[in-house]
Amino acid sequence: AMVICTRLSRPMASASALCSKRAIHLCICIGFFFISSAMGQTTTAAAGGGGGATPTTTPNPSAEPFNFACMNCVFEADGVTPKVVKAMYLVSPSVVENPKAEAAAAALGRDYNCDDPKLAVPECFVADNWNSGWVGELSHKIFTNLGANVIALTRANFSAISYQTYTGGSSFTRCVWEVNKRQVDLCVGDFWETNERRAIAPFSSSFDLDTMRLLTMPAVEGGDDGFDPMKLLDIFKPFNNAVWGIVVGMFFFTGILMYIVEAGSDNSDYEYEDACQSPIVRYLQGFTKGVYLSTLGLLTAGPTHNVTKWPGRIILFGFALFIYVTVASYAASLINFLISTDNTPGKIASMKDLVTKGRSLCLLEAMADLVPEVPNSKKVGMDDYGPMVEKMYRNAGCQASIIGKTQYQSMIQAQAATFKVCTDKRDPKQFTTCTNPDFEQSTIALGDCTCSSDPAKDPLTCPDDCPDHHKYCKILEVKDGAFQLAIGMSFPVTPDMLDYISAWVVRYRLDNTVTKMRDLYVTSQYQPICEVAGEEASGLTIEQMGGTYTISSVIMVFGMIVHLIQFFLYRTPKEDAGEKDALGEGEEGEPAPAGPEEKDGADMPPAPPQKGAEQEVNGDKGSAFEQRVITAVSAKLNQLMERIDALEMSMAKQQPAPGQTGPAQPEPEQQVNGWLAFLSPGQQTPE
C-alpha cells in the first residue's frame, strides 16, 4: 500500500491536469493502507504477538467452547510451545512446602532453607517439588492442568529492582512488586488481597478467607492493672443473661402459684397473716413469702415450701425438677470457667481496651491499614508471624498481636512451629533476620525438641535443652465481639495469566478441593495440645436450658389446673354442707344429732367444731382466718373447762371426812404446780 500510494502521488506535482484523478487514487490507497494495517494488528494479536512483543497465552483451538479453566491451553506466541511461567514460592509450614528439598538438605547435613542463597539446594528450584502444603498443592494442580512450563523461584531470587522499589520488611509485599516489575508471573502463598497490594498488581479470585485472632499475654499478678470491681460479677458468667432472666421469672412464677394453691389451708407458710389487714396487703405478703421460699429453694438446692394439697405437690415437683437441673448445670459451667484460660485476665480485654490503656499492637506490615482504630504510633509492623509473636511473648515492644487462623492453629494451639528470629537486643526491629549479620539469630522450636540426657523424657523436664517447648500455651486469645477482621487470600498474578488462574481457583473452591486440602495439611495435622488454650468458656444459653424449663413449667401449670378443677367442682358442695350444719340440719333436712350437753344434760360448754369446720361455717374467703382463730380458741377453752371439772372432782375425793386425819397435805407451791401440770400436760407453762 505504501509503494502504490507513493507511485500514484509522485506525478501530482507535475501533472496538474490529472490532479483530481490522482487525488482519488491517492485516497483509495490511503484507505487500503489503514484497512490492511488494522487487519495486520488483529492477526498479530490472535497469533500471540510478533516482533519484540511479550508472549501471550493462546487458547487451544481444539477446546470448544473455550473455558479459561481449560487443560493444556497456555502457549507461547507460536501457539505450540507451552508457556513459560515464573512462579515464586514463599515457604511456609503446611502452606507451601518442598519435602524433597528438605530431605536433600538433611542428607547434606545442612539446615533446610530455600530462601537463603547460601543454604538452598538444587531441589528448591524444581517446580514439581513444590507440591506439598495446601496452597502449594493447589498451585501445582493448576499449573499441571494448564500445561505450563513452570520455573520455580524462592525468596533467594528477589531481584534488585524490587529492593529499589520496596524498602519494607514484608517478603509477601516484595513478591507482589516482583509481579509488578514482570520479574515473576505468579506468587505462590497465602497472600492477603489488601488495597495496597491490589494497587501494585492484579490478584486472582480468592481461594480462602483468613480470619484474624487477637492475642495477648496474661496480666502480671499484682501488676499495674489493679483490682477490677467488675470481676465480682463473674459468678454470673456460667449462665447468660437470658437464662438468668428465666431463673428469676421462675422464682416469681412458683411463688405466686404456691400462694394461690396453699393459702387458706392449714399451711404454716402463710399463717403469719394478720386478720385485721386488708386483702390486698395479705396478698402482697403471701406473694412475697412465696417468692422468698422459691429463691431459698434454689440457693439450698431443694424445695422449701410446705404443701398440704395435691395441686401444691404437683407444682412443687415441677419446681424441684427446675432446681435440680439448674444447680447441676451451674456447677458444671462454673467448673468450665474456673479451668479455662479465657477466665485468666489478660493485659488487654478488647481492642478498645488496648487503645484506652495506650498499649502497643504487633502486626504484619501489610495489615497496618486494616486496623484504623489503633494509632500508628502504637502499631509495631513485623515481617513474619514468628518474630511478631515472640516479641509479644517477651514483652519486647508490644502487649498484643494479630495472627491468622492457620498460624494460630500451628503456633498457638498445636505448639508445632519452628522459626528463626533475631533476638539480639541491639537490633531495632528483631525480624526474622538481623539488620547486622554479626547480630545473634535464634531458633525457636515450640514442639520439635528432645532432652540431651534422655530423648525419651518429656522436654518440659529439661528446660535447659528445650527452653521454648510449649511456651506459647500461656498466650491468651482475646474474645472481643467488636473485633471482626477477615481478609481474602489469593495469588498475585500477571494480567496474561489472570483469567486462567482465577478460573481454576473458582472451580477448586466450589468443588471443596480447597477445603479438603486445608483440612489435610492444617486441621488434621495441628491438634490442640494446650488445655483449652485460649478457648472461651461461654455461659449456658436459653437454647440449652429451654427444654428443662419448659417441662418444669408445664408440670407446674398442670398443678394449677388441678387446683382450679378442685376449687370449682368440690368447693361448692362443702359450702352447702356448711350452711346446713349451721342451721342444725343433717342429711335430707333431719335435725342434727344432739351434742354432749343434750345427751347427759350436764351444763357443759358446746363441743368444739371438728377439723375443717372453719372452712364450712362461712364460705367467705375474707373471714376464713377469723373463723380458724375462733374455733381454735373455743377448743382450748373447752379443754380447759373439762380439766378444771376433773380437778375439782379429784380434790373432793381426797378431802378427809370430818374428824378423820388424812395424809399429809403437800405444800401450797407443790400443789399449784401439780394443778398446772394436770391442766397442761407436757408443757412447762400453762396456756
Side-chain angles (χ1 to χ4, degrees):
M2 291 289 291
V3 172
I4 293 175
C5 287
T6 302
R7 289 180 178 274
L8 291 176
S9 303
R10 189 177 301 165
M12 291 180 63
S14 57
S16 58
L18 299 176
C19 181
S20 59
K21 186 176 181 180
R22 302 292 187 184
I24 293 174
H25 290 171
L26 177 62
C27 292
I28 294 174
C29 290
I30 292 175
F32 177 73
F33 167 72
F34 282 111
I35 292 173
S36 300
S37 299
M39 293 178 63
Q41 291 178 357
T42 303
T43 304
T44 302
T54 302
T56 60
T57 57
T58 305
N60 190 343
S62 61
E64 295 293 343
F66 179 72
N67 186 336
F68 282 105
C70 52
M71 303 292 292
N72 301 318
C73 53
V74 290
F75 303 95
E76 294 290 350
D78 57 8
V80 178
T81 305
K83 178 174 176 58
V84 175
V85 176
K86 293 180 288 184
M88 179 169 286
Y89 296 88
L90 274 66
V91 184
S92 179
S94 74
V95 180
V96 179
E97 298 177 330
N98 189 332
K100 292 185 177 180
E102 188 173 0
L108 296 175
R110 67 171 69 172
D111 293 337
Y112 165 63
N113 192 343
C114 287
D115 297 332
D116 189 344
K118 299 179 181 179
L119 299 176
V121 295
E123 286 78 5
C124 292
F125 307 101
V126 178
D128 288 338
N129 294 344
W130 294 97
N131 60 351
S132 184
W134 70 284
V135 178
E137 184 175 347
L138 174 65
S139 64
H140 186 264
K141 284 180 174 290
I142 294 175
F143 290 145
T144 302
N145 293 337
L146 293 176
N149 181 15
V150 182
I151 298 176
L153 305 173
T154 67
R155 290 181 177 93
N157 302 108
F158 278 140
S159 64
I161 189 173
S162 69
Y163 281 101
Q164 296 173 0
T165 307
Y166 175 67
T167 58
S170 173
S171 58
F172 285 78
T173 303
R174 188 175 305 283
C175 190
V176 178
W177 277 107
E178 294 284 353
V179 174
N180 174 273
K181 300 301 180 182
R182 293 300 182 98
Q183 301 300 308
V184 299
D185 298 302
L186 182 78
C187 293
V188 180
D190 50 351
F191 280 79
W192 293 337
E193 187 179 353
T194 64
N195 292 330
E196 175 194 4
R197 292 174 176 174
R198 250 202 173 282
I200 300 172
F203 276 75
S204 69
S205 298
S206 298
F207 53 79
D208 198 12
L209 196 66
D210 198 3
T211 306
M212 300 293 111
R213 309 290 186 100
L214 181 61
L215 306 180
T216 189
M217 292 297 296
V220 179
E221 186 175 359
D224 57 351
D225 288 338
F227 172 71
D228 186 4
M230 296 302 294
K231 291 295 181 181
L232 297 175
L233 301 178
D234 287 351
I235 60 172
F236 299 106
K237 282 187 176 181
F239 291 159
N240 66 7
N241 295 335
V243 175
W244 281 119
I246 294 295
V247 170
V248 174
M250 287 293 287
F251 292 160
F252 285 90
F253 184 60
T254 305
I256 293 173
L257 290 186
M258 290 299 295
Y259 176 75
I260 294 175
V261 172
E262 292 293 331
S265 63
D266 295 332
N267 193 323
S268 60
D269 287 345
Y270 305 105
E271 285 187 352
Y272 65 93
E273 302 175 16
D274 188 353
C276 298
Q277 292 178 342
S278 65
I280 295 178
V281 175
R282 293 201 304 271
Y283 293 157
L284 291 177
Q285 288 181 342
F287 292 157
T288 304
K289 182 69 175 292
V291 174
Y292 164 76
L293 293 174
S294 301
T295 307
L296 191 63
L298 180 66
L299 298 178
T300 58
T304 56
H305 295 83
N306 291 324
V307 291
T308 60
K309 300 179 180 180
W310 271 109
R313 295 185 181 98
I314 296 174
I315 294 173
L316 198 61
F317 176 79
F319 184 61
L321 177 62
F322 161 79
I323 291 177
Y324 174 77
V325 176
T326 301
V327 172
S329 301
Y330 179 86
S333 184
L334 181 62
I335 292 174
N336 188 26
F337 270 91
L338 292 177
I339 66 176
S340 173
T341 57
D342 182 71
N343 198 42
T344 304
K347 292 186 175 181
I348 64 167
S350 62
M351 186 65 75
K352 182 179 179 180
D353 186 43
L354 180 140
V355 176
T356 303
K357 293 181 177 179
R359 302 295 176 89
S360 297
L361 176 68
C362 281
L363 71 173
L364 299 187
E365 289 182 347
M367 196 189 301
D369 295 336
L370 303 180
V371 193
E373 60 268 29
V374 180
N376 292 331
S377 60
K378 296 298 181 181
K379 296 177 184 177
V380 181
M382 302 296 294
D383 65 331
D384 206 350
Y385 282 119
M388 178 189 72
V389 177
E390 181 65 16
K391 181 185 284 287
M392 181 195 70
Y393 178 83
R394 293 186 290 109
N395 195 24
C398 58
Q399 293 74 42
S401 61
I402 298 178
I403 192 172
K405 63 179 181 180
T406 300
Q407 288 71 24
Y408 176 78
Q409 288 179 274
S410 62
M411 296 177 63
I412 309 302
Q413 289 188 316
Q415 300 286 305
T418 301
F419 54 90
K420 291 184 178 295
V421 59
C422 180
T423 56
D424 197 303
K425 295 181 179 180
R426 295 171 294 176
D427 190 280
K429 294 184 176 180
Q430 297 183 337
F431 284 179
T432 302
T433 57
C434 300
T435 55
N436 189 332
D438 297 332
F439 289 170
E440 180 183 1
Q441 188 182 31
S442 303
T443 299
I444 307 296
L446 298 176
D448 187 14
C449 184
T450 57
C451 298
S452 58
S453 59
D454 184 3
K457 291 178 60 178
D458 186 353
L460 292 175
T461 61
C462 53
D464 294 336
D465 296 332
C466 304
D468 303 316
H469 188 72
H470 294 181
K471 69 178 184 179
Y472 287 171
C473 281
K474 300 178 182 179
I475 294 178
L476 305 177
E477 180 185 359
V478 180
K479 293 297 183 178
D480 181 9
F483 176 73
Q484 301 288 340
L485 181 59
I487 312 174
M489 292 187 292
S490 54
F491 297 115
V493 59
T494 53
D496 55 337
M497 290 293 295
L498 178 62
D499 292 334
Y500 295 93
I501 300 298
S502 295
W504 276 109
V505 165
V506 171
R507 171 173 292 189
Y508 282 139
R509 187 183 63 201
L510 294 179
D511 65 7
N512 288 329
T513 298
V514 175
T515 302
K516 293 176 182 177
M517 290 180 180
R518 193 180 187 285
D519 291 341
L520 176 63
Y521 286 100
V522 180
T523 306
S524 62
Q525 296 295 324
Y526 299 128
Q527 297 297 323
I529 63 171
C530 301
E531 294 185 3
V532 292
E535 294 294 333
E536 180 183 20
S538 58
L540 296 179
T541 64
I542 189 63
E543 291 79 8
Q544 296 169 318
M545 304 292 292
T548 301
Y549 295 164
T550 302
I551 295 174
S552 300
S553 301
V554 169
I555 295 175
M556 297 168 70
V557 171
F558 175 72
M560 188 62 191
I561 293 174
V562 173
H563 170 71
L564 294 176
I565 293 174
Q566 290 183 348
F567 181 82
F568 288 108
L569 294 184
Y570 299 106
R571 184 171 179 81
T572 300
K574 288 185 178 182
E575 291 178 353
D576 296 340
E579 293 176 358
K580 292 179 180 180
D581 291 342
L583 294 174
E585 298 179 353
E587 296 183 1
E588 299 181 359
E590 295 294 333
E597 66 279 4
E598 298 177 358
K599 289 182 179 180
D600 53 18
D603 187 12
M604 298 291 292
Q610 299 297 321
K611 182 179 180 180
E614 65 274 12
Q615 297 178 1
E616 300 173 358
V617 172
N618 195 330
D620 184 14
K621 296 181 181 180
S623 62
F625 181 76
E626 293 91 328
Q627 294 295 333
R628 292 200 303 272
V629 172
I630 295 173
T631 301
V633 172
S634 299
K636 290 294 184 180
L637 289 176
N638 291 338
Q639 294 176 6
L640 183 59
M641 294 299 295
E642 291 175 358
R643 293 186 179 277
I644 291 175
D645 292 342
L647 180 60
E648 290 177 351
M649 294 175 62
S650 175
M651 293 175 63
K653 292 180 181 180
Q654 295 178 4
Q655 187 72 25
Q660 295 182 357
T661 302
Q665 297 297 325
E667 294 294 333
E669 183 178 356
Q670 297 178 356
Q671 187 174 2
V672 171
N673 290 336
W675 294 347
L676 294 177
F678 183 82
L679 291 175
S680 303
Q683 300 185 19
Q684 298 300 322
T685 58
E687 296 191 27

